[in-house]
Amino acid sequence: MSLQELQELERTSVIHSYARQPVEFVRGEGTRLWDEQGNEYLDFLCGISVTNLGHCHPRVVEAVREQVGRLMHVSNLFYTEPAMRLAQALSQSSLGGKVFFCNSGAEANEAAIKLARKARPAGEFVVALGAFHGRTYGSLSATPQEAKQAPFAPLVPGFRAVVATPEALAAAVDERTAAVLIEPIQGEGGVHVLSEECLQAARAACDEHGAALIFDEIQTGMGRTGSLWAYEQTGVQPDAMTVAKALGGGLPIGALITGERLADVLQPGDHGSTFAGGLTVAAAALTALELTAEESFLDAVREQGKRLAEGLARLPHVQEVRGRGLMLGCELDVPAPDVMQRALFEQRLVTNATGPTTLRLLPPLTVTAAEIDEALERLAAALED
Ligand SMILES: *Cc1c(COP(=O)(O)O)cnc(C)c1O
């Protein structure tokens, strides 16, 4: 089918909720993607930080093939080894409590919101301005962006957004607060790193008032920032965190991970999902987690992240480079959507614009120095046009 035919099918048959770029990708390997005409692209977006191990990582492909050929799905009415082992691995790699599985980032935040409300009945939530936590009602209510929320009012009550400063966060928390839900680095909001003082102030306020501190590590997790979880580089440990995106090595899975204090709040009947923690996605995630948690793998993420950040800072029209590891945003003095399109269609470099002047780069964590240099050359050409 040609791209024109796909566009016609979209026009007649698909609810128009996405603004797609006119390109169809049909194959991927590592950092490379190919479109239906055989053109090769460098993928510095990774399906928005999903394919962190590069496209079609052979070990993930093998794990999935092996599992789908044996048993694909049975339901959480029964035991399955991949889910139990994945829960153990996630907990041991982070907060030491227990894990609830689901199928996406928004669902992971829904689970976190329900858990925090159950721990403090009728409690309220404090979130940061500029945050993005998802599109379902709970997670949308935690996403204080007028354009995303307004058409869907009324939202879930009890959410309050404050500027992400230590003072505002501390002042917003009291004995009615169920949780502070926060991204250690705001992703969709334009790659804004929350200061250590902010996170510490939120931690202290939650401790003082018995509220839960929940980190949304859906985008920052799974090695993206150069440590397995972003909180490890902050000196602040949350009471729970949500992960998704790269967790499944390219397949859809999300998880809520608690520390010990919140591990037993949810009880049978409180929450659930048919597909959650299914055999195939759990097998893929186990493999992805194993590959990502290697110290040498994470060292390389930090090293390549430094190379990319330094290279970006030298490009024309780049005013500022923000982020950590291989989660980087460039503030431009020209429109970022135009640069993104020129990079995509003229240079065959996949990136994305998170705002009018912010270009975001999320290459695979397996990216090589040569690929980074090549991407920088392509981006320089797109910026100079
Ligand atoms: C992508 C994202 C979500 C939502 O995840 P979905 O899988 O799209 O529901 C939530 N929080 C953050 C920080 C994200 O980056």
Side-chain angles (χ1 to χ4, degrees):
M1 234 180 238
S2 70
L3 184 60
Q4 286 67 34
E5 287 169 311
L6 294 182
Q7 287 175 307
E8 182 57 17
L9 278 186
E10 183 193 42
R11 200 183 62 74
T12 57
S13 310
V14 180
I15 289 177
H16 196 212
S17 69
Y18 301 104
R20 295 175 212 271
Q21 298 302 322
V23 54
E24 182 202 2
F25 292 119
V26 294
R27 191 164 70 83
E29 190 186 321
T31 309
R32 315 251 164 194
L33 279 169
W34 286 268
D35 68 17
E36 87 294 356
Q37 289 168 19
N39 297 308
E40 185 188 296
Y41 297 73
L42 273 177
D43 184 3
F44 271 49
L45 181 60
C46 274
I48 316 184
S49 201
V50 168
T51 52
N52 279 13
L53 296 166
H55 291 286
C56 302
H57 190 288
R59 293 253 326 259
V60 177
V61 170
E62 181 52 35
V64 170
R65 280 216 172 102
E66 205 281 319
Q67 186 60 55
V68 291
R70 212 142 46 87
L71 186 63
M72 251 189 254
H73 175 80
V74 287
S75 140
N76 287 305
L77 295 171
F78 309 102
Y79 284 89
T80 60
E81 185 174 324
M84 300 303 133
R85 285 183 50 208
L86 178 61
Q88 180 191 37
L90 282 171
S91 167
Q92 286 179 352
S93 78
S94 60
L95 307 180
K98 295 181 181 173
V99 175
F100 175 85
F101 289 120
C102 52
N103 311 289
S104 69
E107 283 182 51
N109 285 331
E110 292 296 332
I113 290 164
K114 283 183 73 174
L115 177 141
R117 270 259 166 86
K118 194 178 176 215
R120 178 160 276 179
E124 292 170 0
F125 292 86
V126 174
V127 297
L129 285 169
F132 180 82
H133 295 295
R135 305 286 199 153
T136 56
Y137 260 102
S139 63
L140 177 64
S141 304
T143 298
Q145 296 181 35
E146 179 67 15
K148 291 187 173 71
Q149 288 185 336
F152 305 103
L155 299 171
V156 178
F159 286 80
R160 180 158 153 218
V162 301
V163 293
T165 63
E167 300 73 28
L169 283 166
V173 179
D174 60 27
E175 67 287 349
R176 288 164 306 182
T177 308
V180 174
L181 173 61
I182 213 164
E183 298 157 90
I185 302 174
Q186 292 185 340
E188 300 309 296
V191 192
H192 292 281
V193 181
L194 265 67
S195 71
E196 187 137 348
E197 294 73 45
C198 262
L199 301 178
Q200 266 159 2
R203 178 70 278 172
C206 286
D207 287 342
E208 187 186 340
H209 297 286
L213 178 62
I214 304 171
F215 280 0
D216 177 340
E217 289 237 25
I218 289 162
Q219 192 163 145
T220 55
M222 288 299 281
R224 175 53 63 188
T225 67
S227 48
L228 185 58
W229 311 113
Y231 83 84
E232 296 171 59
Q233 292 180 68
T234 68
V236 173
Q237 184 157 325
D239 300 301
M241 65 189 216
T242 51
V243 303
K245 286 202 162 88
L247 176 59
L251 295 187
I253 178 172
L256 163 67
I257 309 171
T258 74
E260 271 168 25
R261 186 168 76 80
L262 298 175
D264 297 313
V265 173
L266 294 177
Q267 290 295 315
D270 279 341
H271 199 37
S273 167
T274 299
F275 286 112
L279 286 149
T280 311
V281 290
L286 261 175
T287 306
L289 186 61
E290 206 175 290
L291 291 166
T292 307
E294 285 283 331
E295 206 42 60
S296 59
F297 184 91
L298 294 167
D299 288 345
V301 175
R302 290 192 294 274
E303 188 183 321
Q304 302 307 343
K306 189 161 171 277
R307 185 182 194 91
L308 180 57
E310 286 172 359
L312 290 170
R314 286 194 291 267
L315 295 182
H317 299 294
V318 172
Q319 304 296 298
E320 185 194 6
V321 179
R322 296 188 294 264
R324 197 168 279 160
L326 284 167
M327 177 173 182
L328 295 171
C330 292
E331 204 55 41
L332 307 177
D333 62 7
V334 289
D338 296 351
V339 174
M340 178 274 288
Q341 289 205 328
R342 280 200 301 273
L344 179 62
F345 296 114
E346 293 167 21
Q347 302 298 324
R348 306 206 193 289
L349 171 68
V350 185
T351 63
N352 115 293
T354 60
T357 54
T358 309
L359 193 73
R360 177 173 50 173
L361 294 106
L362 301 162
L365 308 186
T366 50
V367 71
T368 64
E371 287 166 341
I372 285 176
D373 295 347
E374 194 180 335
L376 286 167
E377 267 171 44
R378 294 189 193 190
L379 189 53
L383 281 160
E384 270 155 15
D385 278 351

